[in-house]
Amino acid sequence: MDVMGDKATLFETGRFVQPSGEEPTRDEAAEAAEEARRRLHAEAGDVESMSVLGAMLLRRGDLDGAEPQLRAATAAGDRAAANNLGVLLHQRGYPDEAAGWWRIAAVAGSAAAAHALGRHHRERGDEPAAEYWLRQSAEQGHALGAYALADLLEHRGDANAGRWMRAAAERGHREAAYRLARALDRRAGEGEAGADNGVGAETAAGAAETEEAEQWYRQAAARGHRRAALHLGAILERRGELKEAGRWYLTSAKDGEPRAACALGFLLRDAGDTESAAVWWLRAAQDGDGNAANALGALHAERGETQTAERWYRAAMDAGDDNGAYNLGLLCAEQGRTAQAEQWYRRAAYAGHREAANALAILLLQGGDTAGAEPWFSKAAEAGSVDAAFNLGILYAGRGEDRVALRCYEQAAAAGHTEAALQVGIARLREGDEAAAERHLRCAAGGGSAEAAYRLAAVLDARRPAVSEHELGESSLHTKTECEEWYERAASQGHRRAQVRVGMLAAARGDVVEAARWYRIAAEAGSRNGAFNLGLLLAREGSEPEAAVWWQRAADAGHGRAALRLALVYARRGELAEGQRWADRAVALGPAEVTERAGRLRDALREELSA
């Protein structure tokens, strides 16, 4: 058989993929002229014109007009006509006869026909025959053949699937580019997880796979693949390239991808454009995106429109998003509807929502149902809720089960829970394991815990060479140490003991103004030590009347030394009865040294008064 080239192949995609919108729109007048010219040549017996005319008519849907032209060209040995005749017969509902013509064209070397024949056999469950013909198509450079072969091999778990998927992507197949990108993305993600678990995955290889995945997403997105545009937008958003991320989200959303519309809404909200965000969330929610429905619910809840918020949370639930039930629980809890909150928390918790399980446990605990709360805390903690692990630790600590509580705290601390790290640090200090204590305190302090910063500073402070005890602010100039920096961090966060300690260190440097400032801040916040030390500083500077005011505040709060100072002040002024009263107070408050000194002063004042 004298076989001609594939000059008249219908789509080059066989029967399975319709022409994409990427093809340029033909000029109708020029096409009509071309059709008339081909028809004249076909009537004159030109085989190529018969084949091309048949393809043109088939493309237009004129099956009756196309069939005689294609049959005539096929009979003359045109393999493209044989392929297209197969397409026509398949559209008419004669798949077996179509397969016969595809076989003829495929044997003659048509890659498109081999692809169509391979798909035909796969639909009938004959995978060996399907693989044979798809491989024939793929090896001839046919993009659809390579993709279909990759899909078949991937379904069977064949390691060669990736090679053919890459070949299809390199030949411009957008779905292959997308699937290749997804595979690279998953491998990079598994590598990161392995590195986090100490498996020792090569981060450089993971970074390379992530970069390559982005390139394939770009290629697929540029060809109109909406999910590729979504994933590309997500990559760019994570990298902080928000403007370009927004462009790809918009492209994907306009093509009908609800997740992209939802993501675009969040970008707009973060940029301060809540109204535009709501428009895209509405579009996504109406297309069944539960995350967008939740976002709309939260938006209306913030505005106080609780009924509308509840409606959207319910829509999220209907879309299969368990966050909808959890958010409904939060909404009811805020309104004091505890029974309904429990109902929604339970629904989400039973569906595996770990934060709902934690919230349910807290609700039960607040209601006094400790036994009911514990299993939900445990379930949430096992599912990875850091807050639940910490709360479980509090529960066990309240029962006196310190070892079990510590294990829970350690679990939460390992996941970055600041307060849990503080509790572990405190426990290690009690055990005398200073190194472990310091490590956990540093984590907690770095996470913003003022108490951890103070305790860390105290640990570091204890290692410093001994200095004379500061009482009246002796000058000892030196530069700030690390422990002072931690004290200052805790002090700036409102930690009263840290504020007093910063004042003491400032006084030791001779910085009276700075010391007074910190003592005053602590004293005004209720620190009796701050008030006492501020009094000492003021007395040294010659402001004893003002000092007495602060000492009285400290003494009223139970500070024995302050009471003793007041007793001495009144004794010097000759107000012996008042002095004796404060001496009595100092004796009662202590500590032992103060009790002894105050007792001697009281006795002396009593003798003076009775003389």
Side-chain angles (χ1 to χ4, degrees):
M1 179 184 290
D2 183 17
V3 179
M4 297 175 63
D6 281 340
K7 295 179 183 177
T9 300
L10 178 59
F11 300 141
E12 191 57 28
T13 57
R15 61 187 173 84
F16 300 99
V17 180
Q18 294 300 316
S20 71
E22 298 166 17
E23 295 185 5
T25 304
R26 292 172 177 264
D27 179 43
E28 292 183 5
E31 189 167 329
E34 174 67 7
E35 181 181 331
R37 186 177 70 82
R38 289 292 183 179
R39 191 177 294 279
L40 285 173
H41 287 126
E43 289 171 355
D46 184 74
V47 175
E48 181 184 347
S49 292
M50 295 176 192
S51 182
V52 173
L53 178 60
M56 293 175 74
L57 294 170
L58 181 57
R59 185 188 300 275
R60 201 167 65 215
D62 184 359
L63 304 188
D64 291 335
E67 185 170 352
Q69 299 295 336
L70 292 174
R71 285 190 180 278
T74 298
D78 190 291
R79 66 184 182 188
N83 176 51
N84 289 335
L85 181 57
V87 173
L88 184 147
L89 291 167
H90 190 274
Q91 290 183 9
R92 283 192 184 280
Y94 303 111
D96 292 332
E97 189 179 350
W101 290 112
W102 281 329
R103 181 181 295 275
I104 290 171
V107 169
S110 170
H115 164 250
L117 186 59
R119 290 295 301 269
H120 171 81
H121 284 298
R122 188 176 182 189
E123 285 177 359
R124 276 154 179 71
D126 187 354
E127 289 197 0
E131 182 180 350
Y132 174 81
W133 289 111
L134 291 175
R135 194 175 293 277
Q136 294 295 315
S137 175
E139 288 175 351
Q140 291 180 66
H142 193 274
L144 281 169
Y147 174 72
L149 177 60
D151 186 66
L152 176 64
L153 295 174
E154 188 177 275
H155 175 71
R156 292 210 307 246
D158 192 311
N160 290 316
R163 178 169 70 89
W164 287 111
M165 193 69 75
R166 183 178 292 275
E170 289 171 348
R171 292 165 189 167
H173 194 290
R174 71 180 189 183
E175 183 66 23
Y178 171 71
R179 288 177 64 173
L180 178 59
R182 293 295 294 144
L184 290 164
D185 228 351
R186 281 192 294 271
R187 284 210 300 268
E190 288 166 3
E192 288 176 8
D196 290 342
N197 293 327
V199 176
E202 296 183 13
T203 55
E209 286 178 332
T210 300
E211 184 178 348
E212 187 182 359
E214 181 182 341
Q215 293 171 0
W216 288 115
Y217 281 136
R218 281 190 183 278
Q219 290 197 28
R223 293 187 176 98
H225 197 293
R226 69 186 193 185
R227 284 173 295 161
L230 167 67
H231 286 285
L232 178 57
I235 288 173
L236 293 165
E237 183 180 359
R238 286 195 298 271
R239 208 158 62 211
E241 299 176 25
L242 303 184
K243 190 172 182 180
E244 188 179 358
R247 286 201 300 271
W248 285 112
Y249 283 148
L250 181 61
T251 298
S252 180
K254 284 182 174 178
D255 286 341
E257 177 56 58
R259 290 175 296 169
C262 181
L264 180 58
F266 282 111
L267 269 190
L268 290 164
R269 181 205 63 181
D270 293 343
D273 189 354
T274 309
E275 295 306 316
S276 296
V279 170
W280 286 105
W281 283 333
L282 179 61
R283 180 168 175 172
Q286 288 172 338
D287 286 338
D289 189 280
N291 196 23
N294 273 313
L296 280 173
L299 182 64
H300 287 290
E302 287 172 7
R303 294 173 177 172
E305 301 165 357
T306 54
Q307 288 186 336
T308 308
E310 186 169 334
R311 180 167 61 83
W312 283 114
Y313 289 148
R314 288 179 183 275
M317 280 197 305
D318 293 341
D321 192 327
D322 297 326
N323 284 314
Y326 173 60
N327 288 333
L328 270 172
L330 291 174
L331 190 67
C332 291
E334 287 173 3
Q335 296 173 336
R337 296 151 60 193
T338 307
Q340 288 174 290
E342 181 180 339
Q343 170 195 342
W344 293 118
Y345 285 150
R346 281 189 186 277
R347 175 167 176 170
Y350 278 122
H353 196 293
R354 65 189 189 189
E355 298 310 323
N358 181 56
L360 174 60
I362 292 172
L363 201 64
L364 293 170
L365 196 60
Q366 290 170 343
D369 186 2
T370 307
E374 183 180 343
W376 285 112
F377 276 139
S378 296
K379 186 173 183 178
E382 287 168 6
S385 171
V386 181
D387 287 336
F390 178 67
N391 290 336
L392 198 56
I394 294 174
L395 194 66
Y396 285 123
R399 293 177 184 169
E401 300 177 40
D402 293 338
R403 300 310 305 173
V404 183
L406 182 57
R407 285 199 297 272
C408 294
Y409 290 145
E410 286 175 331
Q411 178 185 341
H417 195 286
T418 298
E419 290 304 311
L422 169 62
Q423 293 303 320
V424 176
I426 292 171
R428 296 303 180 213
L429 278 177
R430 282 198 301 265
E431 295 168 357
D433 188 350
E434 191 175 290
E438 181 182 343
R439 186 171 66 253
H440 283 95
L441 290 173
R442 283 188 183 277
C443 290
S449 170
E451 181 65 23
Y454 172 73
R455 288 178 179 268
L456 174 60
V459 168
L460 299 172
D461 205 359
R463 296 176 188 166
R464 297 198 305 166
V467 294
S468 59
E469 185 71 20
H470 164 66
E471 186 175 78
L472 297 178
E474 295 86 350
S475 177
S476 175
L477 295 174
H478 62 282
T479 56
K480 288 183 182 179
T481 61
E482 186 189 4
C483 80
E484 290 178 75
E485 291 172 356
W486 284 113
Y487 277 135
E488 286 187 2
R489 180 180 294 195
S492 65
Q493 291 176 259
H495 195 287
R496 291 183 299 181
R497 284 178 294 168
Q499 290 165 348
V500 173
R501 188 61 184 151
V502 170
M504 292 174 69
L505 292 170
R509 288 196 303 273
D511 191 345
V512 177
V513 174
E514 183 71 359
R517 183 174 75 87
W518 282 111
Y519 288 152
R520 190 178 297 276
I521 290 171
E524 289 175 348
S527 168
R528 61 188 186 183
N529 284 328
F532 174 69
N533 283 5
L534 180 57
L536 291 176
L537 205 62
L538 291 166
R540 184 186 178 201
E541 296 298 311
S543 301
E544 190 174 83
E546 188 181 354
V549 172
W550 290 106
W551 283 332
Q552 182 168 344
R553 182 180 290 194
D556 287 342
H559 198 288
R561 286 188 172 86
L564 177 58
R565 289 278 174 175
L566 281 172
L568 290 168
V569 167
Y570 285 111
R572 284 197 298 270
R573 290 179 184 173
E575 300 177 32
L576 304 184
E578 190 67 12
Q580 184 181 343
R581 188 173 71 83
W582 282 111
D584 283 336
R585 179 75 170 147
V587 168
L589 291 172
E593 176 195 350
V594 170
T595 298
E596 182 184 350
R597 290 176 60 192
R600 290 199 302 269
L601 177 60
R602 179 189 59 188
D603 293 343
L605 290 172
R606 185 179 293 130
E607 288 177 9
E608 188 74 21
L609 284 167
S610 62

